[in-house]
Amino acid sequence: MISTTAKKQIDNWIAKYPTDRKSSAVMEALKIVQAENENSLTPEAIQAVADYLDMPGISVAEVATFYENYNHRPVGKHTIRFCHNISCMLNGSDDLIAHLEKKLGVKTGEVTKDGLINVKKVECLGACVGAPMFQIGDQYYENLTADKIDEIVDGLK
Amino acid sequence: MADIEIEIDGNIINAKAGEMLIAVTDREGISVPRFCYHKKLSIAANCRMCLVDVEGAPKPQPACSTPISDGMKIHTQNDKAKASQKAVMEFLLINHPLDCPICDQGGECELQDVAMDHGSDVSRFTEGKRIVADSDIGALIQTDMTRCIHCTRCVRFGAEVAGIMEMGGTGRGEDMKIEPFLAEGIQSELSGNMIDVCPVGALTSKPFRYELRSWQMNAVSNVARHDLVGSNIYTQTYKGRVKRIVAKDNESVNETWISDRDRFSYEGLSHENRLLVPKIKVEGAWQEVEWNVALDFAVRGLEKNVRQADQLGALSSNTATLEEFYLLQKILRGTGSENIDHRLNVKDIDNTISLESNIKLAGLEGVDHALVIGSNLRLEQPMINHRLRKASLSGASIDVINAMAFDFNYRINSENIIAPNQTALTLASILKSVLKSAHTEVPEYLGNAEVTEIATQLANQLTDSDNSVIILGEHVINNPQALSISNLISEIAQKTNSTILNVSATANSMAAGLAHFVPGKGGLDVNAMLAANLNAYILLDIYPQYDFHHSVQAIEALSNDDTFVISLNSFKDDVVSEYSDVLLPIASFYETSGSHVNVEGKVQSFTAAVNAPSDAKPAWKVLKVLADLLELPGFHYADSMQVTSEIMHKSYKQHVHDENIDITVKRGVNVIWQKSPYAVDVLSRHAVSLQDTKIGQINSASMNKATAKKLEITQGDNYLGVPVSISESVANSCVFVNANHAIRGQS
Ligand code: SF4
Ligand code: FES
Ligand code: FES
């Protein structure tokens, strides 16, 4: 389940912690395994990480489901992380998410048919000054409007 | 213990510095509401229900995680405390479905009780509530996760007590839920305790689903008889039936926990297979008759068939009560026969384990080293294993000598997989190493034992530990060198100052010893009886195909045409009806008064929680009447307690055993035959939900490839009627049979 390269990378992380604290590497290990599995984690992948780090499967699942940066269903080439926390919500994120869903023809969590885009609702990304906002890859897009969204999304390849 | 003084609600209280506040209030009987705190689990402090006002602290403090210090002034009832408790209660109820009318926990729910005391009667919450999907976690526990308040007691129970973390909190915030990972069902042998620790109706008993309200039932204190612990329980009954079993606290026996076997075996009581009416066999045909007719028939049968006193034999299963063992042996000895035995599963009585335990259950927690020999302790004696696990968690190192690798739920220092025919030799080399390093003379019988590296290691562990215990388990009873093994163990224990825990016998067999239910001078043991073709037998709750080691010979001997067999049974069984001449229906667990004797020799008496169904009667009464009809003196008992006190006034000299030690390796394939954990006795075999669990499904004859080749069998074949499973975790030349002869059907 976990490739040799990935194991090597995980071992690097394990080495950074005391020998009896292998489990400290769990977040990085999940990230590495997710990266080599089309950016999402199946239960088998979670179990594999658990086995590799000598942890109960459920403990790893707890971590993997706690953080938003782990995916548990297939994702598109681009993930749009749409903030729906308080500032963005007050500035109309709900309507904009609805607009985006309609434009893409998918609900949040689903992937467009061409496998290009999926939308994920996330909590505050620390960019409240520019609310409403979303993130694609490393890029923040702020002060969103329906038109602006159309333009950004149309530009995605 | 009065280290410091603190003031709670105006009263001065003495306590130890550093204790958690809630431990003090609990001890003093001051009520502080709580959900996540549990005295046997780590402190999570996540529910915030236990907030109290501590003078000087700006905010209310959680009593469960606030260590006390000298002069602290605490208010559990002032406005600040009460307001916080009320606020937390309201917060917890926001997402709670408040479906008490259809909730099994209703009436025994901590949430309900605390809400009554600290909640508000009207909800201000008008928004939608969250709903959580249930997970199917197996046959024993029903989940209704929308009711969960995320106290994480079940999670901590799994991680800390059961030793298998199965439940966990996934997701976050609004989406958090408590669930297992992968819907495989819960595996732990202690899983039912999660029902007890869950403060709400999220985890409830599946077999008990929608049966009754807790206040409709009577709770009777009782003792479970499936293993050597005698866990204390409450049998909860309704209209003469046991409806549920929950744990009863007894720190020195089972603490707060019970095994799933003890909790769910009661289902067997109402199985359709119960034997309900006395029957006699007249000219080969069974007739249902009144008790007096059946007993009369039995007595006449004995008179006619037993021409010489030593032509009568008595055998009993190991689940009988102390009083039943005692009365049956008294009848036999009264008639002049010494043919008495309960060690049905022993191949050769003269060559089996004879070893006395000298450590208390609670003492097991304090050992710093244990050597486990021949036991899958976790599944065989769950509560004893739990004590050992505690020792392990506090640093004890545990070594194992087994014929197969098992799943222990704690760290094993060294797991030595050794073929049964090498066990004696291995112990001999341990002993030799011990003697050598103490510079004592090595006796001749150890001559050719080579001191191996493993032996030295194990010997050093035993010698260097201040408080070491050697635990000898069930797998050794039929080892061709069982007697030598147990003699070697006593030697090693003596030389290394270790204690001994003998868990090789099961259920209530300690009581058989106390009641002297073994052959006396001139008497025959079980195997000798069967070989001697006796004229008559009295059999107490025996199911020969499961109980005897030599089951084929046993059935043959009992089926002899001129053998008169009186069977006292709690369940119907075809083989039993085949060979018996009289069938007397007797009470099962919880239907009779009596006593259990546990591994440390503690005698625990119990009363009947319910009457036996239909015409079945407690066996002690049946035996008493039988004795009266046989006109034997000394059977004037009004209740079973009188029998108990008579036993307590006697003491029997323990058998003196021969000290012979033989360490030569015997060639050949060794079979370790064992009933699987949920098929150990007739009641658990009939407990339907237990059979549907992972552990209930254990049914395999395990051996490695080489052994399979030698026996000319492959995966998928049957060996001794049990499916073969090839695994390299079994020692060479050994077949480990874990047989489950569960009986399906309605209960
Ligand atoms: S299921 Fe019960 S014990 Fe487990 S976290 Fe929820 S409320 Fe607590
Ligand atoms: S609430 Fe959206 S970025 Fe802070
Ligand atoms: S009992 Fe103290 S926080 Fe839960």
Side-chain angles (χ1 to χ4, degrees):
Chain A
M1 181 87 222
I2 309 179
S3 74
T4 340
T5 354
K7 280 185 180 158
K8 269 217 185 95
Q9 288 173 294
I10 298 174
D11 290 343
N12 273 336
W13 283 96
I14 294 176
K16 294 187 203 285
Y17 301 102
T19 37
D20 57 339
R21 297 284 155 79
K22 255 186 172 178
S23 54
S24 304
V26 65
M27 291 190 64
E28 288 302 327
L30 284 169
K31 207 163 124 188
I32 293 162
V33 172
Q34 171 165 286
E36 61 168 20
N37 284 287
E38 292 173 345
N39 248 328
S40 81
L41 290 166
T42 55
E44 294 73 37
I46 292 176
Q47 187 62 53
V49 170
D51 294 342
Y52 196 68
L53 298 177
D54 278 339
M55 292 171 73
I58 181 72
S59 292
V60 181
E62 285 182 332
V63 176
T65 54
F66 186 89
Y67 295 100
E68 291 287 350
N69 44 353
Y70 302 116
N71 301 311
H72 299 279
R73 33 173 35 178
V75 290
K77 187 172 168 204
H78 305 284
T79 297
I80 301 181
R81 301 168 186 278
F82 217 129
C83 173
H84 70 148
N85 213 304
I86 187 88
S87 309
C88 294
M89 187 190 79
L90 292 174
N91 282 297
S93 62
D94 285 356
D95 289 344
L96 291 178
I97 291 173
H99 168 79
L100 180 59
E101 286 178 340
K102 199 165 153 218
K103 177 174 171 60
L104 296 174
V106 292
K107 293 255 167 263
T108 42
E110 296 168 358
V111 187
T112 50
K113 276 212 188 69
D114 55 6
L116 195 62
I117 300 170
N118 71 296
V119 186
K120 195 167 182 176
K121 286 190 204 166
V122 299
E123 307 303 332
C124 180
L125 289 170
C128 307
V129 275
M133 61 81 65
F134 62 46
Q135 177 190 13
I136 303 174
D138 291 335
Q139 186 70 41
Y140 275 18
Y141 299 86
E142 301 179 1
N143 301 315
L144 296 172
T145 59
D147 288 346
K148 211 167 164 186
I149 290 177
D150 290 350
E151 195 189 313
I152 297 165
V153 169
D154 291 340
L156 291 174
K157 295 198 256 306
Chain B
M1 67 175 292
D3 266 352
I4 57 168
E5 273 184 2
I6 58 170
E7 190 188 307
I8 305 180
D9 299 337
N11 302 315
I12 302 293
I13 284 161
N14 295 321
K16 261 203 156 64
E19 269 188 291
M20 290 303 158
L21 184 48
I22 206 165
V24 182
T25 52
D26 278 358
R27 190 167 58 233
E28 298 294 327
I30 302 162
S31 108
V32 171
R34 89 283 312 271
F35 293 114
C36 69
Y37 174 78
H38 187 283
K39 62 177 193 267
K40 293 276 179 185
L41 302 175
S42 65
I43 289 165
N46 60 21
C47 75
R48 301 278 133 176
M49 193 59 226
C50 63
L51 292 177
V52 293
D53 182 21
V54 177
E55 273 184 30
K59 288 192 284 182
Q61 301 294 311
C64 70
S65 57
T66 303
I68 53 165
S69 55
D70 201 13
M72 217 178 198
K73 289 203 172 95
I74 297 124
H75 303 278
T76 67
Q77 302 293 330
N78 69 2
D79 289 349
K80 195 167 163 192
K82 281 195 163 156
S84 333
Q85 289 160 2
K86 192 166 173 186
V88 172
M89 193 68 242
E90 180 172 24
F91 183 66
L92 282 172
L93 290 182
I94 279 183
N95 271 316
H96 191 78
L98 300 175
D99 57 347
C100 308
I102 54 152
C103 174
D104 268 346
Q105 190 88 349
E108 51 179 4
C109 177
E110 291 174 52
L111 189 69
Q112 215 174 30
D113 295 347
V114 176
M116 273 293 285
D117 290 345
H118 304 270
S120 146
D121 17 2
V122 206
S123 171
R124 293 187 289 166
F125 188 73
T126 51
E127 290 80 359
K129 295 194 179 218
R130 65 180 216 136
I131 290 169
V132 181
D134 296 332
S135 3
D136 182 356
I137 61 169
L140 305 178
I141 304 174
Q142 177 67 44
T143 65
D144 291 273
M145 296 321 281
T146 303
R147 296 178 188 144
C148 170
I149 57 166
H150 302 165
C151 72
T152 69
R153 278 189 189 176
C154 59
V155 177
R156 282 174 285 147
F157 173 82
E160 294 163 17
V161 181
I164 322 176
M165 185 172 170
E166 302 193 85
M167 301 294 269
T170 62
R172 169 159 51 96
E174 173 91 345
D175 298 321
M176 176 173 171
K177 51 179 176 171
I178 299 290
E179 60 178 355
F181 178 57
L182 306 179
E184 278 193 338
I186 293 291
Q187 323 245 350
S188 167
E189 70 289 355
L190 300 174
S191 70
N193 293 298
M194 285 195 241
I195 300 170
D196 285 354
V197 297
C198 180
V200 302
L203 306 177
T204 51
S205 162
K206 205 175 228 177
F208 181 68
R209 182 123 168 119
Y210 297 145
E211 287 268 342
L212 287 163
R213 290 298 182 190
S214 62
W215 64 83
Q216 292 174 288
M217 299 184 287
N218 278 329
V220 184
S221 291
N222 231 310
V223 177
R225 270 185 277 154
H226 294 289
D227 58 29
L228 286 169
V229 173
S231 290
N232 290 199
I233 54 173
Y234 284 112
T235 32
Q236 299 182 321
T237 69
Y238 178 72
K239 292 196 175 159
R241 279 193 166 207
V242 177
K243 296 307 253 179
R244 187 172 63 170
I245 282 176
V246 294
K248 181 185 171 193
D249 284 13
N250 188 337
E251 212 36 51
S252 66
V253 181
N254 54 306
E255 303 175 56
T256 327
W257 318 116
I258 56 175
S259 65
D260 287 354
R261 185 164 56 199
D262 290 345
R263 186 183 300 269
F264 294 105
S265 69
Y266 74 87
E267 273 193 292
L269 294 175
S270 47
H271 196 282
E272 58 188 353
N273 269 8
R274 284 301 297 271
L275 181 63
L276 300 173
V277 225
K279 290 181 198 172
I280 57 176
K281 202 187 258 167
V282 184
E283 283 163 15
W286 282 110
Q287 292 180 1
E288 296 193 349
V289 293
E290 296 291 323
W291 266 102
N292 56 354
V293 179
L295 287 169
D296 214 50
F297 185 84
V299 170
R300 273 189 291 118
L302 288 181
E303 282 164 0
K304 203 168 106 208
N305 286 278
V306 186
R307 284 169 291 270
Q308 249 175 301
D310 64 1
Q311 281 301 311
L312 175 62
L315 297 170
S316 172
S317 83
N318 275 333
T319 49
T321 65
L322 172 66
E323 294 72 9
E324 290 162 7
F325 280 127
Y326 179 78
L327 291 178
L328 183 50
Q329 64 82 32
K330 194 171 175 183
I331 291 181
L332 262 274
R333 298 202 155 103
T335 63
S337 169
E338 288 284 345
N339 305 333
I340 301 160
D341 215 341
H342 67 102
R343 297 159 296 180
L344 314 183
N345 59 340
V346 179
K347 189 170 167 187
D348 177 4
I349 305 272
D350 289 330
N351 175 22
T352 190
I353 298 171
S354 108
L355 208 54
E356 260 177 65
S357 305
N358 53 10
I359 182 171
K360 299 255 184 253
L361 285 173
L364 211 50
E365 284 178 25
V367 301
D368 55 8
H369 171 252
L371 174 59
V372 179
I373 303 167
S375 178
N376 183 2
L377 208 53
R378 182 165 79 81
L379 297 186
E380 286 158 21
Q381 304 288 341
M383 294 318 301
I384 293 179
N385 185 65
H386 165 65
R387 297 271 188 184
L388 199 59
R389 180 176 141 77
K390 280 172 109 179
S392 161
L393 291 181
S394 40
S397 78
I398 319 269
D399 293 308
V400 174
I401 299 181
N402 263 338
M404 180 175 171
F406 298 108
D407 221 359
F408 284 89
N409 54 359
Y410 36 82
R411 213 183 73 79
I412 299 295
N413 185 39
S414 76
E415 185 171 29
N416 305 290
I417 304 304
I418 286 173
N421 56 7
Q422 305 270 350
T423 313
L425 186 61
T426 309
L427 291 171
S429 56
I430 294 176
L431 179 58
K432 197 164 176 181
S433 166
V434 168
L435 295 174
K436 277 195 159 168
S437 38
H439 305 292
T440 6
E441 200 190 327
V442 177
E444 205 173 320
Y445 63 79
L446 294 179
N448 52 6
E450 202 184 310
V451 178
T452 57
E453 202 179 314
I454 298 172
T456 319
Q457 261 171 35
L458 295 175
N460 289 346
Q461 284 277 9
L462 287 164
T463 327
D464 298 346
S465 310
D466 299 327
N467 189 356
S468 185
V469 62
I470 305 180
I471 301 177
L472 180 60
E474 225 180 303
H475 309 166
V476 183
I477 48 174
N478 288 328
N479 188 304
Q481 286 159 306
L483 180 60
S484 300
I485 289 173
S486 60
N487 287 341
L488 282 163
I489 289 175
S490 354
E491 283 293 309
I492 297 173
Q494 205 197 350
K495 296 284 169 344
T496 59
N497 246 328
S498 307
T499 43
I500 292 173
L501 185 71
N502 177 356
V503 292
S504 66
T506 50
N508 203 11
S509 48
M510 292 291 291
L514 190 59
H516 198 39
F517 200 88
V518 282
K521 217 171 158 34
L524 304 176
D525 67 39
V526 48
N527 300 323
M529 272 186 237
L530 298 171
N533 266 329
L534 301 186
N535 295 143
Y537 289 94
I538 305 176
L539 306 181
L540 185 52
D541 222 14
I542 285 176
Y543 305 85
Q545 60 281 45
Y546 318 115
D547 292 342
F548 285 100
H549 178 83
H550 302 287
S551 54
V552 177
Q553 292 89 320
I555 295 170
E556 217 167 86
L558 294 168
S559 310
N560 236 330
D561 272 349
D562 48 8
T563 306
F564 185 74
V565 179
I566 303 174
S567 286
L568 287 75
N569 283 73
S570 50
F571 285 81
K572 286 184 216 156
D573 183 279
D574 288 344
V575 182
V576 175
S577 346
E578 195 57 44
Y579 62 61
S580 300
D581 296 278
V582 192
L583 272 173
L584 304 175
I586 56 165
S588 184
F589 287 36
Y590 319 126
E591 298 167 352
T592 181
S593 58
S595 311
H596 176 273
V597 183
N598 78 3
V599 69
E600 62 177 53
K602 189 186 183 88
V603 179
Q604 302 187 91
S605 297
F606 44 83
T607 53
V610 292
N611 288 330
S614 205
D615 276 350
K617 297 270 181 277
W620 76 265
K621 285 189 183 168
V622 177
L623 292 169
K624 178 204 157 349
V625 177
L626 195 62
D628 289 345
L629 293 174
L630 287 166
E631 292 170 7
L632 297 173
F635 281 86
H636 299 294
Y637 307 107
D639 56 38
S640 68
M641 290 303 282
Q642 293 181 357
V643 186
T644 328
S645 69
E646 185 175 316
I647 303 168
M648 293 310 158
H649 285 102
K650 301 213 163 181
S651 80
Y652 298 100
K653 249 206 230 94
Q654 286 294 328
H655 221 66
V656 188
H657 275 285
D658 94 50
E659 304 275 302
N660 188 20
I661 296 181
D662 169 17
I663 58 167
T664 45
V665 174
K666 310 258 189 293
R667 305 220 163 271
V669 172
N670 213 275
V671 181
I672 296 177
W673 202 97
Q674 199 191 14
K675 285 179 234 174
S676 71
Y678 294 165
V680 287
D681 50 50
V682 69
L683 185 62
S684 48
R685 280 196 293 275
H686 285 86
V688 287
S689 304
L690 279 181
Q691 304 310 328
D692 286 338
T693 60
K694 283 262 143 97
I695 298 174
Q697 261 133 51
I698 296 177
N699 189 36
S700 63
S702 313
M703 64 193 83
N704 68 12
K705 267 203 210 99
T707 315
K709 204 167 159 211
K710 210 179 289 174
L711 293 171
E712 296 176 352
I713 40 184
T714 51
Q715 185 100 24
D717 286 354
N718 271 353
Y719 186 72
L720 294 175
V722 179
V724 167
S725 121
I726 311 272
S727 151
E728 293 312 305
S729 68
V730 192
N732 219 352
S733 282
C734 171
V735 185
F736 198 97
V737 185
N738 236 196
N740 186 345
H741 299 287
I743 290 150
R744 302 279 154 172
Q746 287 293 307
S747 89

